[in-house]
Amino acid sequence: MSIDPLWDALWINVHLATMDEAAGAGDGYGTIRDGALAVRDGRIAWVGPRRDLPSGWRVVTEHDGRGAWLTPGLIDCHTHLVYAGNRADEFEMRLAGTSYEEIAKAGGGIASTVRATRAASEDDLVAEGAGRLRRLVAEGVTTVEIKSGYGLDTANELKMLRAARRLGKACGVEVKTTFLGAHALPPEFSGRADDYIALVCDEMLPAVADAKLADAVDVFCEHIGFTPAQTERVFDAAKAHGLPVKLHADQLSDLAGAQLAARYRALSADHLEHTSVDSVRAMAEAGTTAVLLPGAFYFLREVQQPPIAMLRHHRVPMALATDCNPGTSPCTSLLLMLNMACTLFRLTPAEALAGATRNAAKALGIEDEVGELAPDLRADLALWDISQPSELAYAFGANPCIGRVTRGRVSAT
Ligand code: NIG
Ligand code: FE
């Protein structure tokens, strides 16, 4: 590593969970006890054991971590956190025995959030989303993906995406936006799903791409969403606009969605409760990341487990996210997802933390930017009052985050 002796900031008296597979103790966390991390121009300039600090360094600001742990800033790689209203009434209906699919077919579900979101102004969406985003940020989150998909017409999808981008600036967090126009069929297209897909491909997606408001394109491929053939049409349009794709795949049934995603070299296939071994193999070959969403699994009282052992066996990177949304995961705690991934899906705590850092970055295609403590990556960090990194998955309902750094600067939690 070449050393420039003048750094902007240096953390010492810290233990590092670098999440860099090549670094540290080989314990799944890339642990470096008594480490040091230097920042220059918003990027990590040096990271390693403190005793190996190169001689002659000078620094503008030195931070004494007092024995805390430093990790990459957490990344929530799948959220729908821009929306209006809530669906507590549907929660009560589901508890009384009505299923998520039945509610959707009766005009509730996603459609009810679409009504509320269409009625809301962009400012309303920013105000409502800010509360949720701040709760994520308080837990050390520095990057969040936010999907559209409750507007379902050009103006309202653009409104959602603009609100998402504004939220990133307002809350000091990197926001990646995903266009999810094909989330549900809006009522005005009832019985005309193919016509709606034509609108998504020919009008909405080009408008979103022109305005540079999306970093990726997603579809809800499901019997209550869109068919594999319709998904392909949207993916073809996304590719034509140079946008990477992701997919809500195999959540409620196996439509071979993950395989379809792999065929399009999707960044990620998400949910995956009903994914088959053939699809897992296809994901492995394509380099598609599996995004696991234990909040939705829990909240829908799902019993079908995603194929964790198979994903592990085929070395498909596993990411974790909140899926923050009003219908299936009204959750604003990524740390709780770490715990649930361990208790419900039997991930190890190290796999869980990798899921909210290194692999979450892969799910967004930004692994060259963030997700590990490694030289040249952006200095997005979280500081924790813990004595070992497994505590992040172990304690639920706790928030040991005591500091957050974005682009090398200490920022509010
Ligand atoms: O990820 N499955 C589709 N989309 C969301 C649910 C959205 C909603 O119910 O509002 C999900 O679970
Ligand atoms: Fe989702």
Side-chain angles (χ1 to χ4, degrees):
M1 211 182 302
S2 76
I3 305 301
D4 186 319
L6 182 61
W7 292 324
D8 298 328
L10 174 70
W11 275 263
I12 53 163
N13 274 332
V14 280
H15 305 299
L16 310 175
T18 65
M19 306 316 292
D20 178 348
E21 283 173 307
D27 59 353
Y29 297 105
T31 293
I32 301 175
R33 283 193 176 262
D34 195 8
L37 183 142
V39 170
R40 195 187 139 101
D41 294 334
R43 301 207 161 249
I44 297 173
W46 192 91
V47 56
R50 170 152 63 152
R51 63 173 183 278
D52 293 348
L53 270 170
S55 55
W57 56 267
R58 288 174 300 138
V59 68
V60 177
T61 310
E62 188 175 303
H63 299 275
D64 181 348
R66 297 164 198 242
W69 281 75
L70 204 54
T71 67
L74 301 189
I75 300 169
D76 193 349
C77 65
H78 178 144
T79 86
H80 309 247
L81 75 74
V82 169
Y83 60 84
N86 72 60
R87 308 228 294 273
D89 51 344
E90 293 181 5
F91 177 52
E92 290 187 304
M93 286 164 70
R94 284 200 299 106
L95 290 173
T98 316
S99 74
Y100 181 64
E101 288 96 322
E102 284 163 349
I103 292 170
K105 283 186 186 137
I110 294 172
S112 70
T113 300
V114 170
R115 283 190 289 276
T117 303
R118 284 179 171 180
S121 70
E122 189 178 314
D123 288 349
D124 293 338
L125 293 179
V126 172
E128 287 198 42
R132 292 186 277 273
L133 188 52
R134 286 205 188 96
R135 288 195 286 282
L136 286 174
V137 161
E139 287 189 346
V141 168
T142 52
T143 300
V144 177
E145 185 255 19
I146 303 178
K147 300 176 195 296
S148 66
Y150 294 121
L152 308 187
D153 62 32
T154 306
N156 283 298
E157 287 290 300
L158 290 169
K159 177 178 79 179
M160 285 189 72
L161 293 166
R162 282 194 304 269
R165 288 273 170 91
R166 277 175 57 189
L167 275 167
K169 294 203 176 72
C171 298
V173 57
E174 186 79 14
V175 163
K176 292 282 163 193
T177 47
T178 299
F179 170 60
L180 177 57
H183 192 197
L185 194 59
E188 62 274 20
F189 278 86
S190 180
R192 295 188 296 128
D194 281 325
D195 292 348
Y196 179 64
I197 291 296
L199 183 78
V200 167
C201 297
D202 301 340
E203 184 185 306
M204 292 162 79
L205 209 154
V208 165
D210 273 2
K212 298 201 184 330
L213 277 170
D215 301 300
V217 173
D218 194 348
V219 174
F220 184 25
C221 181
E222 190 56 67
H223 55 89
I224 58 165
F226 295 94
T227 64
Q230 290 162 343
T231 302
E232 289 186 1
R233 286 171 61 196
V234 178
F235 279 8
D236 287 335
K239 292 271 152 166
H241 284 90
L243 287 167
V245 297
K246 314 167 73 64
L247 191 62
H248 280 72
D250 311 327
Q251 178 186 12
L252 307 169
S253 60
D254 183 10
L255 296 184
Q259 211 164 326
L260 189 163
R263 217 163 47 242
Y264 280 82
R265 309 240 151 227
L267 291 173
S268 69
D270 304 35
H271 287 286
L272 306 179
E273 278 83 346
H274 294 264
T275 295
S276 70
V277 64
D278 287 344
S279 294
V280 170
R281 277 201 206 97
M283 288 174 70
E285 275 160 31
T288 295
T289 295
V291 177
L292 306 173
L293 303 165
F297 175 90
Y298 159 80
F299 199 65
L300 292 178
R301 305 181 76 234
E302 179 59 78
V303 288
Q304 175 74 34
Q305 292 259 338
I308 304 297
M310 227 120 68
L311 291 165
R312 211 180 259 138
H313 178 74
H314 290 282
R315 297 183 173 281
V316 175
M318 292 183 280
L320 291 177
T322 59
D323 197 11
C324 174
N325 77 72
T328 66
S329 191
C331 168
T332 49
S333 172
L334 188 53
L335 289 179
L336 180 59
M337 299 303 100
L338 265 60
N339 175 271
M340 283 190 181
C342 297
T343 52
L344 300 176
F345 295 163
R346 292 287 174 225
L347 262 63
T348 67
E351 285 174 326
L353 187 56
T357 54
R358 185 178 69 232
N359 292 342
K362 284 189 187 142
L364 298 176
I366 52 174
E367 66 271 32
D368 294 338
E369 276 290 299
V370 286
E372 299 179 14
L373 303 184
D376 299 329
L377 294 195
R378 206 159 72 215
D380 286 0
L381 320 168
L383 196 67
W384 308 95
D385 180 18
I386 53 174
S387 55
Q388 53 190 326
S390 58
E391 283 175 43
L392 296 178
Y394 155 76
F396 58 104
N399 181 10
C401 183
I402 52 171
R404 195 171 152 276
V405 175
T406 53
R407 297 176 189 264
R409 287 172 189 275
V410 175
S411 60
T413 49

